[in-house]
Structures are given as structure tokens and as C-alpha cells.
Amino acid sequence: MSLSPILRAIADGEFHSGEELARLLGVSRTAVWKQLQKIQAQTGLSIESVKGRGYRLAEPLELLDREAVVAALAEPIRSLLTGFEIHEEIDSTNRAALQRAQDGSGRGHIIVAERQTAGRGRRGRQWVSPFGRNIYFSALWEFDGGAAALEGLSLAVGVAVASALKDVGVAGIGLKWPNDVVWDGRKLAGILLEMVGDAAGRCQVVIGIGINVAMAGSEQTAAIDQPWVDVATAAGRRVSRNQLLAALLTYLLPLLQRFEREGFASTHAEWSALDSFFGRDVSVHLGETLVLGQAAGVTSTGALLVDTPQGRQQFHGGEVSLRLAL
Ligand code: BTN
């Protein structure tokens, strides 16, 4: 049985009696109790049970709602959406989107989940993905021109994520090359692009985006190995995940369409305005090699520029990692 009906019934954070829930779902009170136990175990949500009053979630929960998201989209954006899956649980939305690409789905197919059991981060890291708190999002798109035509795509996607966050009330967003979205020096969202198809011709790209929305209280945050922040903290209030998802689609889908025609060049100025490392002393790590210098922005194809004692150097994505110099 899907968790949704019972979770939806108690999502408001109010008390609901076992009798009411049993009637609503057409099951016995024992079945309700068992379901609630299962939900607690699977989601990590805390459900209180008080004699004479019933059950309630310790905190209200806004579940992802396909109809609400689609209703919030303007018609031109809706027309770019060719498929929209919402999962209660999935291993990785990126993995699933890559599979859809192989099964024949095309541009504009979106997969979102309440929780990932094997969320993927960059450089083989895991992406911590607790239930109901964040956004785990993958979009499938197609590009001609192979891997070379994708240079700068992850930077452009960062601009779309930053715009969506600004739209829902987060001020002070920054971007960190190549594809982190930061606030107050801490990571708010991450982007992971994965590709299938012809590296020299037509390829399908999965644009994976993870946004920390309301992480406080999740035990899983202990597993995050870098400074992080969530939207609730950055905005100073609770933000609707459905609203944020609609904003993300609103900025991302047209951006992907534009990127196909113009590449990174048309987003270059917007990216530069959000460049959180510009002019700062940085270290660039390429495997065992370390380059020290001052961050000098990015090129119109998205390569990182660093002024070093030996002159200006350019770095391309891949296995390069950028840090502030200590
Ligand atoms: C990073 O390490 O900064 C990139 C994180 C990307 C995480 C997102 S969550 C949705 C999508 N599915 C995944 O498995 N990973 C990406």
C-alpha cells in the first residue's frame, strides 16, 4: 500500500483519531496503527500518538503535489513539460531519468522524489536525501553537438536555480564554479549533469538538482561532509516546496531551450553577477596538482579563470575542484 493516503490525511500536523483515519481509508484501526509505524520507519518522520486525541505529525508536512505544481505554471512552460513523475521513494532521480532516456523519453521529462535511497552527488559522493524535506529533481533534455556543446551547461543551470530561489524569497544567493549554489558560504543546492548518447553528436542529458529546503531536524544531516544551509534558514521562513518546484521549472525549461541555441554565452552576464568567488584568493585542485591564485570569473563558454603568478589560467569542469585559499 502506498504511504500517500494516510500521510496526506495527517500532513496538516493536526490530531486525527485512529477511528477517523480507519474510516477515511476503509481499513481497521490496527491497520492504521501498522501503517503509521511503517511510515515512521520508512520516512524518519516523527508521529505522535496521544490517548484520546489520536495521531499527529510532530511538524506539518507539505507533500509534493503534481496538480499544484502544474497549475502554478504559465502555459508556455507547461508546453515544455512532456512528462512529470513524482515518486515517494526512488534510488536516484538521475538514475531513473537516464533509464527513461534509454527507454525513449525525450526533452522535458521530469522526475522528482520525496526521498532518494541512493542520491548521487558529484565526484562519487552521496547526496543526503531525507523524506519530504527537500527537492530532488531531474530533467531530461536533448542536445546536438555532443559533449562539446554542453560546456557551461551546469553553470547556466545554476543561474536558473538561483533565479527560482530568489523568486521564493531567498536573498543573497551566490554561485560557486562550476555548479554549487551557495548562501553565506554554505551549500544550498547542488547540480549533477549526466549524459547518455553520442559524445560527438546527439546526446541526452540528465540535469539533476538537489535543493536543501528544510533540513533542520533530520538525523541524516550528520552525514553531510561540507558546510550546508537550507532554504528555510536562508529565507528566514518556511517555503513551499511545490512553489519552489514550479519556480524551478519556470526558469529551467526555457533556459535549456535557449542553451540549445546559444550555449552559455547568453547566461554569462547573469552568472558573473552571482559569482561568489570573484576576486578572492583560491586554490584549484586537479588531482595531485594545486594551483593558487585569484579567481577572475569565467569565460563565455564557462571555463574558470584564475590569475596566478604565472599569468591567467583557464580551467574546465570535470575533476577540478575550487576552494577558497586558507
Ligand atoms: C553535488 O554533489 O553538488 C550534486 C548533487 C546533485 C543531487 C541531485 S538530487 C536529484 C538528482 N538525483 C541524484 O541522484 N542526484 C541529483
Side-chain angles (χ1 to χ4, degrees):
M1 178 178 167
S2 147
L3 302 178
S4 288
I6 199 158
L7 246 189
R8 279 187 204 284
I10 61 166
D12 58 9
E14 303 293 329
F15 276 111
H16 296 269
S17 71
E19 204 178 335
E20 175 200 330
L21 293 173
R23 210 178 326 111
L24 197 74
L25 302 170
V27 297
S28 69
R29 280 165 58 183
T30 317
V32 165
W33 181 81
K34 279 193 187 146
Q35 266 297 309
L36 290 169
Q37 297 290 311
K38 194 168 152 198
I39 287 173
Q40 280 212 123
Q42 284 187 3
T43 63
L45 293 170
S46 155
I47 300 170
E48 297 169 2
S49 152
V50 175
K51 232 189 158 89
R53 300 193 72 185
Y55 304 100
R56 75 167 176 189
L57 277 177
E59 278 176 64
L61 173 73
E62 182 206 22
L63 289 167
L64 296 172
D65 181 338
R66 193 176 182 283
E67 277 69 44
V69 173
V70 173
L73 300 177
E75 186 44 45
I77 308 295
R78 221 177 282 174
S79 68
L80 295 173
L81 200 60
T82 59
F84 188 8
E85 304 176 29
I86 295 186
H87 296 262
E88 277 177 3
E89 181 181 297
I90 202 163
D91 50 358
S92 151
T93 57
N94 263 29
R95 204 262 331 133
L98 284 166
Q99 184 63 53
R100 298 297 177 276
Q102 265 150 358
D103 297 344
S105 295
R107 71 184 59 189
H109 191 97
I110 306 299
I111 305 184
V112 182
E114 291 287 8
R115 145 172 138 100
Q116 297 185 116
T117 52
R120 304 177 181 173
R122 286 183 70 220
R123 292 199 298 259
R125 282 174 152 148
Q126 72 154 145
W127 187 257
V128 171
S129 309
F131 185 93
R133 297 178 170 274
N134 300 324
I135 286 189
Y136 316 116
F137 170 102
S138 295
L140 185 57
W141 207 264
E142 286 164 335
F143 294 91
D144 286 319
L150 303 179
E151 217 193 331
L153 178 59
S154 66
L155 280 78
V157 170
V159 170
V161 176
S163 304
L165 288 164
K166 190 170 167 212
D167 233 44
V168 298
V170 183
I173 297 278
L175 295 175
K176 171 183 174 275
W177 186 92
N179 50 12
D180 283 353
V181 180
V182 295
W183 185 85
D184 187 29
R186 291 173 280 164
K187 186 153 164 172
L188 185 56
I191 296 160
L192 178 67
L193 303 190
E194 297 188 75
M195 193 190 115
V196 281
D198 183 353
R202 187 161 190 71
C203 58
Q204 290 176 301
V205 179
V206 169
I207 296 115
I209 301 172
I211 307 178
N212 300 329
V213 181
M215 287 282 260
S218 166
E219 286 170 8
Q220 291 190 41
T221 56
I224 306 179
D225 59 0
Q226 53 191 325
W228 62 272
V229 67
D230 61 10
V231 173
T233 307
R237 64 176 174 84
R238 193 183 280 271
V239 165
S240 154
R241 288 189 303 149
N242 289 308
Q243 204 188 331
L244 177 55
L245 195 48
L248 183 60
L249 289 166
T250 298
Y251 286 99
L252 182 69
L253 297 180
L255 176 132
L256 294 173
Q257 217 176 22
R258 199 172 72 204
F259 192 92
E260 259 186 284
R261 293 190 309 265
E262 301 167 14
F264 177 63
S266 61
T267 325
H268 186 193
E270 276 179 274
W271 198 94
S272 302
L274 295 166
D275 184 353
S276 62
F277 274 24
F278 188 84
R280 315 259 320 250
D281 289 334
V282 293
S283 58
V284 180
H285 302 248
L286 307 114
E288 296 295 294
T289 314
L290 180 69
V291 178
L292 294 173
Q294 203 174 49
V298 296
T299 67
S300 62
T301 58
L304 172 72
L305 294 171
V306 179
D307 288 331
T308 73
Q310 290 75 41
R312 181 162 284 190
Q313 292 194 31
Q314 273 193 28
F315 299 93
H316 300 265
E319 294 306 294
V320 183
S321 118
L322 172 69
R323 298 177 207 160
L324 284 176
L326 296 173

